Amino acid sequence: MLQSLNVSLAAVLALLGSLIGPAAAQQQPLRSECLAMANAPPRALPVSLRRTAAKAEDVAITYVGHSTYYIDTPGGVRIATDFNGAYRTGRLPDVITMNRAHSTHYTLFPDPKIPHVLHGWGENGQAAQVSTRVGDVYIRNVPTDIRRYYGEGTSGAMIKDGNSIFIFEVAGLCIGHLGHLHHKLDDTHFAAIGRLDIVMVPIDGTYTMSLDGVSEITKRLRASVVLPMHRFATPLDEFMRLIGQQFAIDQRSERTLKVSRDTLPATPTVIILDGV
């Protein structure tokens, strides 16, 4: 009798283990390959990126306007940055990210057919915490502060963790969108960002931050590709003068850049896609 009970108990425990095991595995935190690469010894490459390297597929990045870029992944996921619904091209995105600085950077009423809506701000004074995988892209955020505007209290004061830098990891590429950045980044921010191959940088010099400040950040990130945004207020040659001779410049007549890990420029390059 006792032996029978022991066998039954073992069977129940085995069944529970089989049910709990997969659930526990699914709850494991997602891992950033870009952070792993940034923290690894020189020449080290994570195993999953070695697999990607064997099949270097293009990511298409299209400048739609203002601070909105569409990112189309090899797996067919479409992402729109700083989405407000006004800057559109082609089909609806599958994922939208937003920063709340102005109505040109977010909408509280996105098309309900967009399945993934990611806010760069949290609720009740908390920082946004984004760490999610959609198809072949892993998306995370690094919170930043934002200035208050009229109607939000004292104009010019800062709201802690009010916005985010979004980072998209796909096909072995680390793509960052600085959003409506209002202040310099410290070592903690740079450590949380990790490695970036492509970075989208606001260059208006007024509504976000000074050209000196954003140029300093751009030089420290030293991404292979710099994609300017907020281009309406600043002569591009002034931005280029500030970031120095270490960056090449490539002005194109098309709105879409197709790039893979293997086709990144050897020299850090500012690529100006068509558009305003």
Side-chain angles (χ1 to χ4, degrees):
M1 181 70 175
L2 183 58
Q3 184 176 6
S4 175
L5 286 173
N6 287 338
V7 171
S8 298
L9 180 59
V12 170
L13 290 175
L15 176 61
L16 287 174
S18 67
L19 295 174
I20 294 172
Q26 291 174 3
Q27 293 172 4
Q28 292 298 314
L30 295 169
R31 182 170 180 271
S32 166
E33 298 289 7
C34 298
L35 286 175
M37 292 171 71
N39 297 326
R43 302 181 68 83
L45 188 66
V47 171
S48 61
L49 290 193
R50 292 191 200 118
R51 288 196 295 268
T52 302
K55 186 176 66 174
E57 296 176 297
D58 284 342
V59 173
I61 303 175
T62 302
Y63 185 52
V64 185
H66 202 50
S67 60
T68 300
Y69 280 89
Y70 275 25
I71 304 170
D72 288 285
T73 76
V77 177
R78 168 165 279 198
I79 304 158
T81 65
D82 274 7
F83 183 84
N84 70 350
Y87 300 104
R88 297 267 297 272
T89 182
R91 71 176 179 87
L92 277 177
D94 305 294
V95 183
I96 57 176
T97 64
M98 302 182 192
N99 280 304
R100 76 174 191 184
H102 300 288
S103 59
T104 51
H105 294 259
Y106 74 97
T107 174
L108 297 179
F109 306 100
D111 191 309
K113 294 191 289 292
I114 299 173
H116 304 280
V117 177
L118 304 178
H119 290 172
W121 64 93
E123 302 297 332
N124 302 317
Q126 300 299 308
Q129 295 184 344
V130 177
S131 176
T132 187
R133 182 170 293 280
V134 179
D136 59 340
V137 61
Y138 170 52
I139 306 169
R140 60 187 176 91
N141 76 310
V142 176
T144 65
D145 302 339
I146 187 174
R147 284 189 300 273
R148 292 182 185 273
Y149 289 96
Y150 300 111
E152 292 188 313
T154 305
S155 180
M158 301 296 279
I159 303 173
K160 181 173 174 54
D161 298 328
N163 273 272
S164 290
I165 294 168
F166 280 98
I167 299 166
F168 312 94
E169 306 187 13
V170 57
L173 293 171
C174 308
I175 304 169
H177 185 282
L178 296 188
H180 215 273
L181 189 61
H182 287 176
H183 58 81
K184 292 185 177 182
L185 303 179
D186 59 27
D187 289 344
T188 303
H189 291 110
F190 284 108
I193 291 168
R195 172 193 174 119
L196 290 183
D197 300 302
I198 300 168
V199 63
M200 300 158 189
V201 178
I203 64 166
D204 59 89
T206 53
Y207 293 95
T208 51
M209 61 185 299
S210 71
L211 272 182
D212 285 327
V214 78
S215 300
E216 179 183 320
I217 291 169
T218 302
K219 286 188 283 190
R220 178 160 176 182
L221 288 171
R222 200 167 173 78
S224 294
V225 172
V226 176
L227 297 173
M229 56 188 182
H230 259 223
R231 292 163 18 184
F232 54 87
T234 303
L236 189 62
D237 57 356
E238 177 65 9
F239 174 68
M240 293 303 302
R241 182 185 68 78
L242 287 169
I243 66 172
Q245 298 301 313
Q246 57 187 293
F247 287 82
I249 185 166
D250 180 359
Q251 189 147 7
R252 303 193 177 188
S253 59
E254 63 271 8
R255 287 197 166 200
T256 298
L257 167 70
K258 291 187 176 180
V259 62
S260 72
R261 200 181 64 83
D262 289 345
T263 60
L264 289 169
T267 300
T269 302
V270 178
I271 298 180
I272 303 98
L273 299 172
D274 188 33
V276 294

